[in-house]
Amino acid sequence: WDSMTRRVRVHLWGQRPQHDSWLSIVDDAWHRSGLPARYLDLEITERVIITHPEKAVATLMKLKQMGVSITVDDFGTGYSSLSYLTRLPIQAVKIDKRFVHGLEQNKNDDAVTQAIIALSHSLGLRVIAEGVETVAQYEYLRSRGCEEAQGYLISRPLEEPELRAWWQMQDEENRIVGRQGDMWRQDRGK
């Protein structure tokens, strides 16, 4: 929600962190990008690590030691296990967009979303909402303590040149508004 939590998120769909070359591939890509590790957030679904959890946990622990943030993606959509939240070296949980889209119409989606936020915070994890498309969703999630958002309200997917320009624009706006301002809300989506 603010400039201090801005990260580049890389979804690792189908990737297997138990493979020996996986860590070196991530490390190489990260160094070539020139991006400090604190800005890199790797999103991984629990399904990806189920086959070899011990090896996956060891790899994720090495990434955490490098300063890379790890997020459990699509939390609450069928593969989630509360035991993984205590075993994995993760820093965040992402609320699946199916729950976010139903917030305004479905009290069950509302209840699940609030439960995910409360559980995550009790474990010391950040909460990210995906699929945020309306100001009402944004305001609701923010009022419930969700720290970060991803979705069309913030930005559509961007190619590298557009991403670099968008990132620079955010840095400039943040310098103008200051860290106390909410850079995402300034006339966006209204």
Side-chain angles (χ1 to χ4, degrees), residues 73-87:
D73 192 19
D74 299 333
F75 186 77
T77 60
Y79 295 100
S80 299
S81 166
L82 297 180
S83 67
Y84 277 114
L85 290 181
T86 61
R87 290 184 55 213

Side-chain angles (χ1 to χ4, degrees), residues 3-185:
S3 65
M4 301 309 289
T5 58
R6 193 170 30 139
R7 293 179 176 82
V8 173
R9 291 190 172 86
V10 178
H11 183 75
L12 300 174
W13 177 254
Q15 302 298 317
R16 301 283 188 245
Q18 68 270 14
H19 294 298
D20 292 330
S21 63
W22 193 80
L23 185 61
S24 63
I25 291 169
V26 170
D27 188 51
D28 181 56
W30 164 51
H31 279 95
R32 281 188 292 127
S33 75
L35 184 71
R38 70 182 178 275
Y39 293 122
L40 178 60
D41 192 340
L42 300 180
E43 298 178 354
I44 188 166
T45 61
E46 288 178 84
R47 181 179 185 173
V48 169
I49 63 168
I50 285 174
T51 54
H52 294 61
E54 289 76 24
K55 180 79 171 176
V57 168
T59 301
L60 295 175
M61 189 63 85
K62 290 176 185 173
L63 287 166
K64 181 180 178 183
Q65 291 168 351
M66 292 166 47
V68 174
S69 180
I70 309 294
T71 296
V72 174
D73 192 19
D74 299 333
F75 186 77
T77 60
Y79 295 100
S80 299
S81 166
L82 297 180
S83 67
Y84 277 114
L85 290 181
T86 61
R87 290 184 55 213
L88 294 173
I90 62 173
Q91 291 75 45
V93 169
K94 188 192 286 188
I95 301 171
D96 189 80
K97 65 184 171 187
R98 286 174 258 187
F99 299 119
V100 172
H101 290 169
L103 285 176
E104 299 168 271
Q105 308 92 326
N106 186 328
K107 68 179 184 176
N108 291 333
D109 287 343
D110 179 29
V112 169
T113 298
Q114 287 188 56
I116 291 171
I117 292 170
L119 175 64
S120 299
H121 287 168
S122 70
L123 295 171
L125 302 173
R126 288 188 336 271
V127 182
I128 304 161
E130 75 176 349
V132 177
E133 297 179 358
T134 69
V135 173
Q137 290 168 342
Y138 169 88
E139 293 295 342
Y140 172 89
L141 291 159
R142 186 170 184 197
S143 73
R144 299 303 191 276
C146 185
E147 292 89 357
E148 299 179 38
Q150 177 181 0
Y152 289 162
L153 181 65
I154 310 304
S155 174
R156 298 233 178 235
L158 302 171
E159 295 292 328
E160 182 183 351
E162 292 84 19
L163 175 63
R164 288 182 185 277
W166 182 86
W167 193 284
Q168 289 173 341
M169 181 184 73
Q170 300 306 312
D171 282 343
E172 184 60 29
E173 282 185 20
N174 194 36
R175 280 191 284 280
I176 292 169
V177 174
R179 291 187 178 174
Q180 297 169 350
D182 184 351
M183 70 180 218
W184 299 120
R185 287 187 55 203

